[in-house]
mmCIF file with all atom_site columns, all heavy atoms in Angstrom:
data_model
loop_
_atom_site.group_PDB
_atom_site.id
_atom_site.type_symbol
_atom_site.label_atom_id
_atom_site.label_alt_id
_atom_site.label_comp_id
_atom_site.label_asym_id
_atom_site.label_entity_id
_atom_site.label_seq_id
_atom_site.pdbx_PDB_ins_code
_atom_site.Cartn_x
_atom_site.Cartn_y
_atom_site.Cartn_z
_atom_site.occupancy
_atom_site.B_iso_or_equiv
_atom_site.pdbx_formal_charge
_atom_site.auth_seq_id
_atom_site.auth_comp_id
_atom_site.auth_asym_id
_atom_site.auth_atom_id
_atom_site.pdbx_PDB_model_num
ATOM 1   N N   . GLY R 1 77 ? -49.239 2.164   -22.574 1.00 88.00 ? 91  GLY R N   1
ATOM 2   C CA  . GLY R 1 77 ? -49.487 2.582   -21.187 1.00 88.00 ? 91  GLY R CA  1
ATOM 3   C C   . GLY R 1 77 ? -48.536 1.964   -20.170 1.00 88.00 ? 91  GLY R C   1
ATOM 4   O O   . GLY R 1 77 ? -48.258 2.548   -19.136 1.00 88.00 ? 91  GLY R O   1
ATOM 5   N N   . ARG R 1 78 ? -48.019 0.775   -20.415 1.00 87.00 ? 92  ARG R N   1
ATOM 6   C CA  . ARG R 1 78 ? -47.151 0.137   -19.405 1.00 87.00 ? 92  ARG R CA  1
ATOM 7   C C   . ARG R 1 78 ? -45.759 -0.148  -19.937 1.00 87.00 ? 92  ARG R C   1
ATOM 8   O O   . ARG R 1 78 ? -44.920 -0.714  -19.244 1.00 87.00 ? 92  ARG R O   1
ATOM 9   C CB  . ARG R 1 78 ? -47.788 -1.174  -18.917 1.00 87.00 ? 92  ARG R CB  1
ATOM 10  C CG  . ARG R 1 78 ? -49.115 -0.939  -18.196 1.00 87.00 ? 92  ARG R CG  1
ATOM 11  C CD  . ARG R 1 78 ? -49.608 -2.213  -17.553 1.00 87.00 ? 92  ARG R CD  1
ATOM 12  N NE  . ARG R 1 78 ? -48.726 -2.651  -16.476 1.00 87.00 ? 92  ARG R NE  1
ATOM 13  C CZ  . ARG R 1 78 ? -48.806 -3.845  -15.896 1.00 87.00 ? 92  ARG R CZ  1
ATOM 14  N NH1 . ARG R 1 78 ? -49.705 -4.718  -16.314 1.00 87.00 ? 92  ARG R NH1 1
ATOM 15  N NH2 . ARG R 1 78 ? -47.997 -4.172  -14.916 1.00 87.00 ? 92  ARG R NH2 1
ATOM 16  N N   . GLY R 1 79 ? -45.510 0.228   -21.190 1.00 91.00 ? 93  GLY R N   1
ATOM 17  C CA  . GLY R 1 79 ? -44.175 0.054   -21.758 1.00 91.00 ? 93  GLY R CA  1
ATOM 18  C C   . GLY R 1 79 ? -43.711 -1.387  -21.683 1.00 91.00 ? 93  GLY R C   1
ATOM 19  O O   . GLY R 1 79 ? -44.438 -2.303  -22.052 1.00 91.00 ? 93  GLY R O   1
ATOM 20  N N   . PHE R 1 80 ? -42.520 -1.569  -21.141 1.00 95.00 ? 94  PHE R N   1
ATOM 21  C CA  . PHE R 1 80 ? -41.928 -2.913  -21.071 1.00 95.00 ? 94  PHE R CA  1
ATOM 22  C C   . PHE R 1 80 ? -42.208 -3.600  -19.724 1.00 95.00 ? 94  PHE R C   1
ATOM 23  O O   . PHE R 1 80 ? -41.920 -4.768  -19.559 1.00 95.00 ? 94  PHE R O   1
ATOM 24  C CB  . PHE R 1 80 ? -40.409 -2.828  -21.273 1.00 95.00 ? 94  PHE R CB  1
ATOM 25  C CG  . PHE R 1 80 ? -40.005 -2.327  -22.625 1.00 95.00 ? 94  PHE R CG  1
ATOM 26  C CD1 . PHE R 1 80 ? -39.708 -0.992  -22.822 1.00 95.00 ? 94  PHE R CD1 1
ATOM 27  C CD2 . PHE R 1 80 ? -39.934 -3.194  -23.708 1.00 95.00 ? 94  PHE R CD2 1
ATOM 28  C CE1 . PHE R 1 80 ? -39.334 -0.520  -24.074 1.00 95.00 ? 94  PHE R CE1 1
ATOM 29  C CE2 . PHE R 1 80 ? -39.557 -2.727  -24.962 1.00 95.00 ? 94  PHE R CE2 1
ATOM 30  C CZ  . PHE R 1 80 ? -39.262 -1.387  -25.150 1.00 95.00 ? 94  PHE R CZ  1
ATOM 31  N N   . ASP R 1 81 ? -42.783 -2.840  -18.785 1.00 95.00 ? 95  ASP R N   1
ATOM 32  C CA  . ASP R 1 81 ? -42.836 -3.330  -17.407 1.00 95.00 ? 95  ASP R CA  1
ATOM 33  C C   . ASP R 1 81 ? -43.682 -4.594  -17.232 1.00 95.00 ? 95  ASP R C   1
ATOM 34  O O   . ASP R 1 81 ? -43.305 -5.519  -16.510 1.00 95.00 ? 95  ASP R O   1
ATOM 35  C CB  . ASP R 1 81 ? -43.355 -2.234  -16.467 1.00 95.00 ? 95  ASP R CB  1
ATOM 36  C CG  . ASP R 1 81 ? -42.402 -1.043  -16.392 1.00 95.00 ? 95  ASP R CG  1
ATOM 37  O OD1 . ASP R 1 81 ? -41.286 -1.178  -16.933 1.00 95.00 ? 95  ASP R OD1 1
ATOM 38  O OD2 . ASP R 1 81 ? -42.761 -0.020  -15.810 1.00 95.00 ? 95  ASP R OD2 1
ATOM 39  N N   . ALA R 1 82 ? -44.825 -4.626  -17.896 1.00 93.00 ? 96  ALA R N   1
ATOM 40  C CA  . ALA R 1 82 ? -45.720 -5.761  -17.681 1.00 93.00 ? 96  ALA R CA  1
ATOM 41  C C   . ALA R 1 82 ? -45.085 -7.065  -18.164 1.00 93.00 ? 96  ALA R C   1
ATOM 42  O O   . ALA R 1 82 ? -45.148 -8.100  -17.475 1.00 93.00 ? 96  ALA R O   1
ATOM 43  C CB  . ALA R 1 82 ? -47.041 -5.516  -18.417 1.00 93.00 ? 96  ALA R CB  1
ATOM 44  N N   . ILE R 1 83 ? -44.441 -6.991  -19.323 1.00 95.00 ? 97  ILE R N   1
ATOM 45  C CA  . ILE R 1 83 ? -43.824 -8.223  -19.848 1.00 95.00 ? 97  ILE R CA  1
ATOM 46  C C   . ILE R 1 83 ? -42.590 -8.592  -19.030 1.00 95.00 ? 97  ILE R C   1
ATOM 47  O O   . ILE R 1 83 ? -42.351 -9.761  -18.749 1.00 95.00 ? 97  ILE R O   1
ATOM 48  C CB  . ILE R 1 83 ? -43.476 -8.057  -21.341 1.00 95.00 ? 97  ILE R CB  1
ATOM 49  C CG1 . ILE R 1 83 ? -44.783 -7.816  -22.096 1.00 95.00 ? 97  ILE R CG1 1
ATOM 50  C CG2 . ILE R 1 83 ? -42.777 -9.305  -21.867 1.00 95.00 ? 97  ILE R CG2 1
ATOM 51  C CD1 . ILE R 1 83 ? -44.619 -7.581  -23.542 1.00 95.00 ? 97  ILE R CD1 1
ATOM 52  N N   . ALA R 1 84 ? -41.852 -7.565  -18.630 1.00 96.00 ? 98  ALA R N   1
ATOM 53  C CA  . ALA R 1 84 ? -40.684 -7.838  -17.765 1.00 96.00 ? 98  ALA R CA  1
ATOM 54  C C   . ALA R 1 84 ? -41.139 -8.582  -16.513 1.00 96.00 ? 98  ALA R C   1
ATOM 55  O O   . ALA R 1 84 ? -40.519 -9.551  -16.083 1.00 96.00 ? 98  ALA R O   1
ATOM 56  C CB  . ALA R 1 84 ? -39.988 -6.543  -17.396 1.00 96.00 ? 98  ALA R CB  1
ATOM 57  N N   . GLU R 1 85 ? -42.296 -8.139  -15.955 1.00 95.00 ? 99  GLU R N   1
ATOM 58  C CA  . GLU R 1 85 ? -42.807 -8.780  -14.740 1.00 95.00 ? 99  GLU R CA  1
ATOM 59  C C   . GLU R 1 85 ? -43.181 -10.240 -15.012 1.00 95.00 ? 99  GLU R C   1
ATOM 60  O O   . GLU R 1 85 ? -42.872 -11.135 -14.214 1.00 95.00 ? 99  GLU R O   1
ATOM 61  C CB  . GLU R 1 85 ? -44.018 -8.009  -14.216 1.00 95.00 ? 99  GLU R CB  1
ATOM 62  C CG  . GLU R 1 85 ? -44.515 -8.544  -12.877 1.00 95.00 ? 99  GLU R CG  1
ATOM 63  C CD  . GLU R 1 85 ? -45.719 -7.777  -12.359 1.00 95.00 ? 99  GLU R CD  1
ATOM 64  O OE1 . GLU R 1 85 ? -46.001 -6.682  -12.855 1.00 95.00 ? 99  GLU R OE1 1
ATOM 65  O OE2 . GLU R 1 85 ? -46.387 -8.315  -11.469 1.00 95.00 ? 99  GLU R OE2 1
ATOM 66  N N   . ARG R 1 86 ? -43.832 -10.483 -16.130 1.00 95.00 ? 100 ARG R N   1
ATOM 67  C CA  . ARG R 1 86 ? -44.204 -11.862 -16.481 1.00 95.00 ? 100 ARG R CA  1
ATOM 68  C C   . ARG R 1 86 ? -42.959 -12.747 -16.542 1.00 95.00 ? 100 ARG R C   1
ATOM 69  O O   . ARG R 1 86 ? -42.982 -13.908 -16.174 1.00 95.00 ? 100 ARG R O   1
ATOM 70  C CB  . ARG R 1 86 ? -44.898 -11.905 -17.845 1.00 95.00 ? 100 ARG R CB  1
ATOM 71  C CG  . ARG R 1 86 ? -46.326 -11.435 -17.801 1.00 95.00 ? 100 ARG R CG  1
ATOM 72  C CD  . ARG R 1 86 ? -47.087 -11.949 -18.976 1.00 95.00 ? 100 ARG R CD  1
ATOM 73  N NE  . ARG R 1 86 ? -47.122 -13.402 -18.997 1.00 95.00 ? 100 ARG R NE  1
ATOM 74  C CZ  . ARG R 1 86 ? -47.887 -14.121 -19.774 1.00 95.00 ? 100 ARG R CZ  1
ATOM 75  N NH1 . ARG R 1 86 ? -48.708 -13.516 -20.609 1.00 95.00 ? 100 ARG R NH1 1
ATOM 76  N NH2 . ARG R 1 86 ? -47.858 -15.430 -19.761 1.00 95.00 ? 100 ARG R NH2 1
ATOM 77  N N   . ILE R 1 87 ? -41.877 -12.135 -17.022 1.00 97.00 ? 101 ILE R N   1
ATOM 78  C CA  . ILE R 1 87 ? -40.649 -12.936 -17.181 1.00 97.00 ? 101 ILE R CA  1
ATOM 79  C C   . ILE R 1 87 ? -39.930 -13.110 -15.829 1.00 97.00 ? 101 ILE R C   1
ATOM 80  O O   . ILE R 1 87 ? -39.536 -14.210 -15.460 1.00 97.00 ? 101 ILE R O   1
ATOM 81  C CB  . ILE R 1 87 ? -39.718 -12.288 -18.231 1.00 97.00 ? 101 ILE R CB  1
ATOM 82  C CG1 . ILE R 1 87 ? -40.396 -12.349 -19.609 1.00 97.00 ? 101 ILE R CG1 1
ATOM 83  C CG2 . ILE R 1 87 ? -38.357 -12.980 -18.265 1.00 97.00 ? 101 ILE R CG2 1
ATOM 84  C CD1 . ILE R 1 87 ? -39.684 -11.580 -20.694 1.00 97.00 ? 101 ILE R CD1 1
ATOM 85  N N   . TYR R 1 88 ? -39.780 -12.017 -15.082 1.00 97.00 ? 102 TYR R N   1
ATOM 86  C CA  . TYR R 1 88 ? -38.947 -12.148 -13.869 1.00 97.00 ? 102 TYR R CA  1
ATOM 87  C C   . TYR R 1 88 ? -39.618 -12.963 -12.768 1.00 97.00 ? 102 TYR R C   1
ATOM 88  O O   . TYR R 1 88 ? -38.953 -13.370 -11.815 1.00 97.00 ? 102 TYR R O   1
ATOM 89  C CB  . TYR R 1 88 ? -38.416 -10.795 -13.378 1.00 97.00 ? 102 TYR R CB  1
ATOM 90  C CG  . TYR R 1 88 ? -39.368 -9.769  -12.822 1.00 97.00 ? 102 TYR R CG  1
ATOM 91  C CD1 . TYR R 1 88 ? -40.165 -10.026 -11.709 1.00 97.00 ? 102 TYR R CD1 1
ATOM 92  C CD2 . TYR R 1 88 ? -39.413 -8.477  -13.374 1.00 97.00 ? 102 TYR R CD2 1
ATOM 93  C CE1 . TYR R 1 88 ? -41.007 -9.060  -11.190 1.00 97.00 ? 102 TYR R CE1 1
ATOM 94  C CE2 . TYR R 1 88 ? -40.244 -7.498  -12.859 1.00 97.00 ? 102 TYR R CE2 1
ATOM 95  C CZ  . TYR R 1 88 ? -41.052 -7.785  -11.763 1.00 97.00 ? 102 TYR R CZ  1
ATOM 96  O OH  . TYR R 1 88 ? -41.872 -6.824  -11.242 1.00 97.00 ? 102 TYR R OH  1
ATOM 97  N N   . LEU R 1 89 ? -40.920 -13.201 -12.886 1.00 96.00 ? 103 LEU R N   1
ATOM 98  C CA  . LEU R 1 89 ? -41.567 -14.007 -11.847 1.00 96.00 ? 103 LEU R CA  1
ATOM 99  C C   . LEU R 1 89 ? -41.226 -15.498 -11.936 1.00 96.00 ? 103 LEU R C   1
ATOM 100 O O   . LEU R 1 89 ? -41.401 -16.241 -10.985 1.00 96.00 ? 103 LEU R O   1
ATOM 101 C CB  . LEU R 1 89 ? -43.087 -13.807 -11.904 1.00 96.00 ? 103 LEU R CB  1
ATOM 102 C CG  . LEU R 1 89 ? -43.545 -12.441 -11.359 1.00 96.00 ? 103 LEU R CG  1
ATOM 103 C CD1 . LEU R 1 89 ? -45.034 -12.232 -11.601 1.00 96.00 ? 103 LEU R CD1 1
ATOM 104 C CD2 . LEU R 1 89 ? -43.221 -12.323 -9.872  1.00 96.00 ? 103 LEU R CD2 1
ATOM 105 N N   . TYR R 1 90 ? -40.716 -15.945 -13.085 1.00 96.00 ? 104 TYR R N   1
ATOM 106 C CA  . TYR R 1 90 ? -40.278 -17.345 -13.174 1.00 96.00 ? 104 TYR R CA  1
ATOM 107 C C   . TYR R 1 90 ? -39.077 -17.567 -12.258 1.00 96.00 ? 104 TYR R C   1
ATOM 108 O O   . TYR R 1 90 ? -38.112 -16.786 -12.292 1.00 96.00 ? 104 TYR R O   1
ATOM 109 C CB  . TYR R 1 90 ? -39.846 -17.695 -14.606 1.00 96.00 ? 104 TYR R CB  1
ATOM 110 C CG  . TYR R 1 90 ? -40.999 -17.897 -15.561 1.00 96.00 ? 104 TYR R CG  1
ATOM 111 C CD1 . TYR R 1 90 ? -41.246 -16.982 -16.572 1.00 96.00 ? 104 TYR R CD1 1
ATOM 112 C CD2 . TYR R 1 90 ? -41.822 -19.019 -15.458 1.00 96.00 ? 104 TYR R CD2 1
ATOM 113 C CE1 . TYR R 1 90 ? -42.289 -17.150 -17.460 1.00 96.00 ? 104 TYR R CE1 1
ATOM 114 C CE2 . TYR R 1 90 ? -42.875 -19.195 -16.336 1.00 96.00 ? 104 TYR R CE2 1
ATOM 115 C CZ  . TYR R 1 90 ? -43.110 -18.272 -17.338 1.00 96.00 ? 104 TYR R CZ  1
ATOM 116 O OH  . TYR R 1 90 ? -44.147 -18.456 -18.194 1.00 96.00 ? 104 TYR R OH  1
ATOM 117 N N   . PRO R 1 91 ? -39.085 -18.613 -11.452 1.00 94.00 ? 105 PRO R N   1
ATOM 118 C CA  . PRO R 1 91 ? -37.953 -18.822 -10.536 1.00 94.00 ? 105 PRO R CA  1
ATOM 119 C C   . PRO R 1 91 ? -36.638 -19.132 -11.259 1.00 94.00 ? 105 PRO R C   1
ATOM 120 O O   . PRO R 1 91 ? -35.572 -18.892 -10.711 1.00 94.00 ? 105 PRO R O   1
ATOM 121 C CB  . PRO R 1 91 ? -38.395 -20.017 -9.683  1.00 94.00 ? 105 PRO R CB  1
ATOM 122 C CG  . PRO R 1 91 ? -39.544 -20.632 -10.393 1.00 94.00 ? 105 PRO R CG  1
ATOM 123 C CD  . PRO R 1 91 ? -40.177 -19.578 -11.236 1.00 94.00 ? 105 PRO R CD  1
ATOM 124 N N   . GLU R 1 92 ? -36.721 -19.634 -12.476 1.00 94.00 ? 106 GLU R N   1
ATOM 125 C CA  . GLU R 1 92 ? -35.480 -19.925 -13.221 1.00 94.00 ? 106 GLU R CA  1
ATOM 126 C C   . GLU R 1 92 ? -34.728 -18.644 -13.610 1.00 94.00 ? 106 GLU R C   1
ATOM 127 O O   . GLU R 1 92 ? -33.545 -18.657 -13.900 1.00 94.00 ? 106 GLU R O   1
ATOM 128 C CB  . GLU R 1 92 ? -35.779 -20.675 -14.537 1.00 94.00 ? 106 GLU R CB  1
ATOM 129 C CG  . GLU R 1 92 ? -36.457 -22.005 -14.387 1.00 94.00 ? 106 GLU R CG  1
ATOM 130 C CD  . GLU R 1 92 ? -37.986 -21.889 -14.443 1.00 94.00 ? 106 GLU R CD  1
ATOM 131 O OE1 . GLU R 1 92 ? -38.540 -20.870 -13.977 1.00 94.00 ? 106 GLU R OE1 1
ATOM 132 O OE2 . GLU R 1 92 ? -38.613 -22.829 -14.938 1.00 94.00 ? 106 GLU R OE2 1
ATOM 133 N N   . VAL R 1 93 ? -35.480 -17.536 -13.613 1.00 97.00 ? 107 VAL R N   1
ATOM 134 C CA  . VAL R 1 93 ? -34.880 -16.273 -14.067 1.00 97.00 ? 107 VAL R CA  1
ATOM 135 C C   . VAL R 1 93 ? -34.136 -15.613 -12.907 1.00 97.00 ? 107 VAL R C   1
ATOM 136 O O   . VAL R 1 93 ? -34.704 -15.358 -11.849 1.00 97.00 ? 107 VAL R O   1
ATOM 137 C CB  . VAL R 1 93 ? -35.986 -15.330 -14.603 1.00 97.00 ? 107 VAL R CB  1
ATOM 138 C CG1 . VAL R 1 93 ? -35.410 -13.957 -14.929 1.00 97.00 ? 107 VAL R CG1 1
ATOM 139 C CG2 . VAL R 1 93 ? -36.620 -15.955 -15.836 1.00 97.00 ? 107 VAL R CG2 1
ATOM 140 N N   . LYS R 1 94 ? -32.825 -15.377 -13.113 1.00 96.00 ? 108 LYS R N   1
ATOM 141 C CA  . LYS R 1 94 ? -32.008 -14.802 -12.043 1.00 96.00 ? 108 LYS R CA  1
ATOM 142 C C   . LYS R 1 94 ? -31.956 -13.282 -12.124 1.00 96.00 ? 108 LYS R C   1
ATOM 143 O O   . LYS R 1 94 ? -31.796 -12.606 -11.108 1.00 96.00 ? 108 LYS R O   1
ATOM 144 C CB  . LYS R 1 94 ? -30.575 -15.361 -12.120 1.00 96.00 ? 108 LYS R CB  1
ATOM 145 C CG  . LYS R 1 94 ? -30.509 -16.848 -11.891 1.00 96.00 ? 108 LYS R CG  1
ATOM 146 C CD  . LYS R 1 94 ? -31.086 -17.216 -10.536 1.00 96.00 ? 108 LYS R CD  1
ATOM 147 C CE  . LYS R 1 94 ? -31.403 -18.693 -10.479 1.00 96.00 ? 108 LYS R CE  1
ATOM 148 N NZ  . LYS R 1 94 ? -32.282 -19.033 -9.350  1.00 96.00 ? 108 LYS R NZ  1
ATOM 149 N N   . SER R 1 95 ? -32.007 -12.747 -13.337 1.00 97.00 ? 109 SER R N   1
ATOM 150 C CA  . SER R 1 95 ? -32.008 -11.285 -13.455 1.00 97.00 ? 109 SER R CA  1
ATOM 151 C C   . SER R 1 95 ? -32.639 -10.877 -14.779 1.00 97.00 ? 109 SER R C   1
ATOM 152 O O   . SER R 1 95 ? -32.635 -11.651 -15.748 1.00 97.00 ? 109 SER R O   1
ATOM 153 C CB  . SER R 1 95 ? -30.588 -10.723 -13.347 1.00 97.00 ? 109 SER R CB  1
ATOM 154 O OG  . SER R 1 95 ? -29.741 -11.333 -14.269 1.00 97.00 ? 109 SER R OG  1
ATOM 155 N N   . VAL R 1 96 ? -33.193 -9.671  -14.780 1.00 98.00 ? 110 VAL R N   1
ATOM 156 C CA  . VAL R 1 96 ? -33.800 -9.118  -15.998 1.00 98.00 ? 110 VAL R CA  1
ATOM 157 C C   . VAL R 1 96 ? -33.416 -7.643  -16.072 1.00 98.00 ? 110 VAL R C   1
ATOM 158 O O   . VAL R 1 96 ? -33.555 -6.910  -15.093 1.00 98.00 ? 110 VAL R O   1
ATOM 159 C CB  . VAL R 1 96 ? -35.342 -9.238  -15.957 1.00 98.00 ? 110 VAL R CB  1
ATOM 160 C CG1 . VAL R 1 96 ? -35.959 -8.580  -17.195 1.00 98.00 ? 110 VAL R CG1 1
ATOM 161 C CG2 . VAL R 1 96 ? -35.779 -10.681 -15.873 1.00 98.00 ? 110 VAL R CG2 1
#
Side-chain angles (χ1 to χ4, degrees):
Chain R
R92 296 188 66 191
F94 296 96
D95 295 351
I97 298 178
E99 186 180 345
R100 283 201 61 168
I101 294 172
Y102 68 60
L103 286 173
Y104 284 110
E106 299 92 326
V107 173
K108 296 302 163 195
S109 54
V110 177

